[in-house]
Amino acid sequence: MRNLFSTLLAFLASTSPSSAQTICSCSPVSYTFRLNLEGTCDDNAVEGNPGIQSTDCTIVVDATNLIDPEFPTLEDILSGIPWISKRAIKKASKNRRNPQKAGRNGGGRVNTKLIDENGEEVRKLQSAEIPVSISSIQFIELNSEGNVINFDESFTDVDVTDGFAFTSQSVSSQLANDLVIEDQLEFVPDTAVVFIIGQNSDGNEVRGRFVVRFTNSCGSNDYTVLGGERFAWITYSDIGEASTTFCPATVDQPTTSPVLQGESPPPTSQPQRQPTREPTTKPTILPTDVEDPTPNP
């Protein structure tokens, strides 16, 4: 009997996510983003989270007002991400064209540039990199080899502004709990990209690319993104938590973080996942017409 009990314990330990898996998927299964267009690349709350390996942020202002007659491929969006190889980018962009002009993004951690009609960098105006309207938003996920495994083009033709909220589903939402993760690596994101095109108050095009790379590690505290965290132009207003089958960190991961000082809460018209409310601790008050059962002295 003792041997049977020991065997059972060993089996349970060997099949637990934290011990059996060397690859986990703790990135959100869905994202609700909210635009905060006055943000900069220095507004980065996700960098340093245990499940985030690195981030990359680029904001570029184009003052040429030139219209590219050719729609660029994914190469224009992904070019310059430090950990994505040029070979993978070319493969991803082959035969894939975006529905509107995007321009080359370039790389860099916090680069913000203003380009004149001669292609020269000029002195940056204080609000040049702040868009007043947004015309395109794209959400892209790549695997560890740099291959595109998800491309959400639902918001590539919009006219929205600060405070707009939108939701994108991650490819990780397709992970099947009854299969081991090693057999489903095509549903495990390594990198997530939000690419946004807008116009500033001068009518110049402004492009922002905000990239996070996940560790895909299996530590008990390796959470990735928390609801309420901000990264430049976007706030992760709400996130769909990863399955505990593939992410041991989900058990201890906080579901939300406070809204940053100076920010307003998301618009009420946008559906939001709300945490379960705690029961009230206030004492119940008897109606005024109920007699006091305690007899008078």
Side-chain angles (χ1 to χ4, degrees):
M1 185 66 179
R2 179 177 299 178
N3 290 338
L4 178 62
F5 182 71
S6 299
T7 302
L8 179 60
L9 288 178
F11 173 76
L12 291 175
S14 65
T15 56
S16 65
S18 59
S19 59
Q21 293 176 202
T22 57
I23 300 175
C24 288
S25 180
C26 291
S27 59
V29 297
S30 66
Y31 301 82
T32 296
F33 301 100
R34 177 165 52 92
L35 296 180
N36 288 284
L37 298 179
E38 293 187 359
T40 70
C41 289
D42 291 329
D43 298 314
N44 187 347
V46 301
E47 186 173 1
N49 287 352
I52 299 296
Q53 183 171 339
S54 53
T55 65
D56 184 72
C57 178
T58 305
I59 297 174
V60 176
V61 182
D62 187 352
T64 62
N65 292 315
L66 298 178
I67 299 177
D68 190 341
E70 292 291 332
F71 292 154
T73 64
L74 278 171
E75 181 178 1
D76 295 277
I77 298 176
L78 303 179
S79 177
I81 298 177
W83 56 89
I84 305 296
S85 69
K86 292 182 179 179
R87 180 178 180 181
I89 292 173
K90 288 183 179 296
K91 181 179 178 181
S93 64
K94 185 179 180 181
N95 298 324
R96 186 82 184 246
R97 292 182 178 273
N98 296 321
Q100 80 173 68
K101 176 180 180 292
R104 183 170 299 278
N105 238 358
R109 171 67 178 82
V110 294
N111 289 340
T112 304
K113 299 179 181 179
L114 179 62
I115 308 299
D116 65 14
E117 63 274 9
N118 298 318
E120 299 294 332
E121 184 175 354
V122 298
R123 184 176 60 86
K124 182 176 62 179
L125 301 179
Q126 184 176 4
S127 59
E129 69 274 19
I130 301 176
V132 295
S133 64
I134 297 299
S135 57
S136 178
I137 304 169
Q138 298 177 72
F139 177 73
I140 306 165
E141 291 177 307
L142 302 93
N143 64 12
S144 59
E145 297 179 353
N147 299 321
V148 174
I149 54 178
N150 186 26
F151 191 5
D152 185 354
E153 301 175 279
S154 303
F155 302 96
T156 52
D157 186 14
V158 295
D159 184 9
V160 298
T161 187
D162 198 46
F164 175 72
F166 59 99
T167 299
S168 292
Q169 295 294 321
S170 170
V171 70
S172 63
S173 62
Q174 302 180 44
L175 285 167
N177 290 338
D178 58 343
L179 299 175
V180 297
I181 196 170
E182 288 79 7
D183 293 340
Q184 308 179 79
L185 295 181
E186 68 272 21
F187 301 135
V188 179
D190 173 87
T191 300
V193 181
V194 178
F195 182 69
I196 302 176
I197 303 174
Q199 282 191 332
N200 63 18
S201 58
D202 295 324
N204 299 321
E205 184 176 274
V206 190
R207 301 182 296 273
R209 186 187 65 192
F210 316 111
V211 190
V212 296
R213 187 182 190 186
F214 309 109
T215 62
N216 289 335
S217 51
C218 299
S220 61
N221 192 45
D222 290 351
Y223 63 86
T224 56
V225 177
L226 304 181
E229 289 186 322
R230 183 172 178 174
F231 186 13
W233 291 355
I234 57 175
T235 292
Y236 298 89
S237 180
D238 186 55
I239 55 98
E241 292 184 3
S243 169
T244 55
T245 302
F246 306 112
C247 180
T250 303
V251 177
D252 299 322
Q253 176 180 341
T255 56
T256 60
S257 62
V259 176
L260 296 179
Q261 186 177 3
E263 290 187 358
S264 57
T268 55
S269 59
Q270 178 69 22
Q272 303 289 335
R273 291 176 54 200
Q274 298 293 336
T276 303
R277 295 184 180 275
E278 296 182 359
T280 180
T281 57
K282 295 182 178 180
T284 303
I285 301 176
L286 292 175
T288 56
D289 58 347
V290 177
E291 295 182 0
D292 188 348
T294 305
N296 293 325

